[in-house]
Amino acid sequence: MKPIFIIGYMGCGKTTFGRALCEKTGLKFIDLDDYIEARHGASVKEIFAIKGEQGFREIEQEALREVADSEDTVISCGGGTPCFFDNIDFMNDKGLTLWLKASNETLFSRLVRKREKRPLLAGKTDEEIREIITRQLEARTPHYSKAQNIWQGDSLEDRRQIDDNIANFLLYGPIPIPDTKK
């Protein structure tokens, strides 16, 4: 099976959803940011500080191409991954793309609680975080909307919601997922 690329804004639940889907199906999981950090021996924040956004985006594009040939794999992409170079077209060509879409309020609720862990949000007021979400979503939605599939990511707050969401995705989702757990 071709890889499934999960895209969406930070805080939408890409990693949570992807890991849970893989636990249920036996597919492999790759978090693209974790892959980059392991490959380069530095955090995304450190890479940004050293190489700037353009340098990071080039590293990200290279990493995306390295993992794109993985079979039976779910790849959780960074929030900006589909928005640079030809990345969204590349992902659509190499596998199945899934936009995990969450409301602005859900994103705000999740991100404001963990603002210090996100370099873009650290030290920002609640109102500044709302403005960042609105502004970036406006710029990124045209890229996200090129995904082949959309799934609602608002209900990923606890284990029951996550399990229910994955069960519904496997029953009604737009992507047929083989059960590799045998």
Side-chain angles (χ1 to χ4, degrees):
M1 183 184 104
K2 291 181 174 183
I4 299 168
F5 299 95
I6 303 177
I7 65 169
Y9 195 70
M10 67 176 152
C12 72
K14 297 179 296 287
T15 298
T16 298
F17 185 89
R19 285 188 198 280
L21 180 60
C22 290
E23 286 170 14
K24 185 74 174 166
T25 61
L27 296 171
K28 294 174 280 187
F29 179 76
I30 297 173
D31 181 291
L32 193 59
D33 283 346
D34 290 348
Y35 179 86
I36 290 167
E37 288 178 349
R39 186 127 163 48
H40 290 271
S43 70
V44 168
K45 182 179 179 179
E46 292 167 335
I47 295 169
F48 257 89
I50 295 165
K51 298 197 176 273
E53 184 174 15
Q54 180 65 28
F56 172 77
R57 295 301 176 189
E58 290 168 3
I59 288 169
E60 180 182 57
Q61 181 187 39
E62 179 183 320
L64 178 65
R65 277 153 173 71
E66 289 172 6
V67 301
D69 288 326
S70 303
E71 293 285 323
D72 301 327
T73 303
V74 174
I75 301 165
S76 172
C77 300
T81 306
C83 307
F84 293 87
F85 309 112
D86 64 343
N87 289 348
I88 187 63
D89 296 327
F90 175 79
M91 289 185 279
N92 279 331
D93 185 52
K94 293 297 273 186
L96 302 164
T97 51
L98 175 70
W99 176 14
L100 194 60
K101 188 175 183 180
S103 69
N104 284 29
E105 277 310 304
T106 297
L107 295 170
F108 173 76
S109 172
R110 291 176 185 166
L111 292 171
V112 77
R113 289 188 309 243
K114 297 182 179 181
R115 76 180 88 201
E116 297 310 318
K117 293 184 178 188
R118 308 260 183 187
L120 177 67
L121 305 178
K124 302 283 193 247
T125 66
D126 289 3
E127 192 52 42
E128 288 171 323
I129 291 172
R130 282 188 194 282
E131 289 172 15
I132 290 167
I133 292 169
T134 300
R135 186 177 61 250
Q136 285 197 326
L137 271 179
E138 189 175 297
R140 291 179 176 189
T141 294
H143 300 281
Y144 295 157
S145 65
K146 291 181 181 179
Q148 297 155 336
N149 305 283
I150 300 173
W151 191 257
Q152 200 59 39
D154 287 315
S155 297
L156 297 168
E157 300 306 318
D158 57 42
R159 190 75 237 176
R160 184 193 56 77
Q161 285 186 3
I162 294 165
D163 290 344
D164 288 349
N165 203 303
I166 296 301
N168 286 330
F169 182 79
L170 292 172
L171 281 175
Y172 309 112
I175 302 170
I177 307 286
D179 186 356
T180 62
K181 284 188 166 181
K182 295 197 167 80

